[in-house]
Amino acid sequence: MSVSPEIYLDMDGVCVDFIGAAMTTQGYDADQMLNGWRNEHPGSLYPEPLMDKTAMEFFTHINMQSSEFWSGLIAYSWFEHLYEELSRLGDVVFLTAPTSAPGCVSGKLEWLIGRFGNDFTDFIFTRHKDRLAHPNAYLIDDMPFNIEPFVARKGVGVLFPQIWNELSHIQDPVPHVITTLEAAIGR
Ligand SMILES: [Mg+2]
């Protein structure tokens, strides 16, 4: 009997709109900034000229250290469809890297429990995603720096299209991810 594919699902930038919330909590107009990012800096990991502060300043802002920030992240419109489709193809486990703020872990756990219930256990918090790689492990992630080490350790990486990566031209991310994953699994 074949073992079901193990699908590791990143949260920020794939399931939830982390970047929009990070902009809003720092006083940016998120829609306007994301449009500028898409139109003027597609594929850029962080458009510093647009944001007018360094990536370090932006990503370590004090408002992003509370658990409320993380538990309050809004799911993307495609999240439920993505999760359903992935669940059809394998065993899905959320795989998410915490920041150095302890509130990040508790807030993300709260987000998952709020959606899936108290007995939900399908999640792993680690910054070492590549340690989970093997030939039947599939990582869905928006960051090339997570995909590359996972592939180097013989896992299968599927880059999730976002305006900050090389797939910024793809309009509809879920069909792209599912088609790519099905091909990788061999369906
Ligand atoms: Mg991510």
Side-chain angles (χ1 to χ4, degrees):
M1 214 178 85
S2 68
V3 179
S4 193
E6 293 174 6
I7 299 174
Y8 291 111
L9 180 59
D10 177 34
M11 290 178 71
D12 300 324
V14 173
C15 299
V16 293
D17 183 14
F18 159 74
I19 202 81
M23 287 170 166
T24 302
T25 195
Q26 295 180 55
Y28 294 97
D29 179 331
D31 287 341
Q32 188 189 331
M33 298 312 277
L34 289 166
N35 275 333
W37 195 331
R38 182 179 295 107
N39 297 329
E40 295 157 38
H41 307 276
S44 165
L45 205 53
Y46 177 80
E48 195 169 315
L50 185 73
M51 302 300 293
D52 207 25
K53 64 169 78 165
T54 67
M56 181 66 101
E57 288 169 325
F58 181 80
F59 288 109
T60 59
H61 194 272
I62 190 155
N63 289 1
M64 289 151 58
Q65 295 182 13
S66 70
S67 64
E68 289 78 12
F69 173 81
W70 299 95
S71 64
L73 291 184
I74 308 293
Y76 283 117
S77 59
W78 58 69
F79 168 64
E80 289 193 13
H81 179 53
L82 172 67
Y83 189 72
E84 270 171 30
E85 287 290 285
L86 294 176
S87 301
R88 180 173 65 75
L89 295 172
D91 295 329
V92 181
V93 169
F94 290 94
L95 181 58
T96 182
T99 67
S100 58
C104 175
V105 177
S106 60
K108 283 183 169 186
L109 181 58
E110 205 177 310
W111 190 94
L112 289 163
I113 285 174
R115 195 165 278 267
F116 295 101
N118 272 318
D119 54 356
F120 188 69
T121 60
D122 296 339
F123 53 81
I124 297 171
F125 297 125
T126 180
R127 292 200 205 180
H128 304 287
K129 297 184 180 185
D130 60 315
R131 301 290 179 92
L132 296 163
H134 59 78
N136 196 35
Y138 301 80
L139 174 65
I140 318 294
D141 201 291
D142 60 316
M143 292 301 191
F145 60 70
N146 288 325
I147 296 287
E148 283 153 18
F150 197 83
V151 171
R153 286 190 181 228
K154 307 273 187 275
V156 182
V158 178
L159 185 66
F160 189 90
Q162 274 291 6
I163 57 172
W164 46 83
N165 63 40
E166 68 197 48
L167 300 180
S168 61
H169 57 283
I170 292 176
Q171 302 285 334
D172 206 355
V174 176
H176 170 84
V177 165
I178 298 303
T179 306
T180 307
L181 186 59
E182 281 174 336
I185 292 170
R187 287 209 178 191

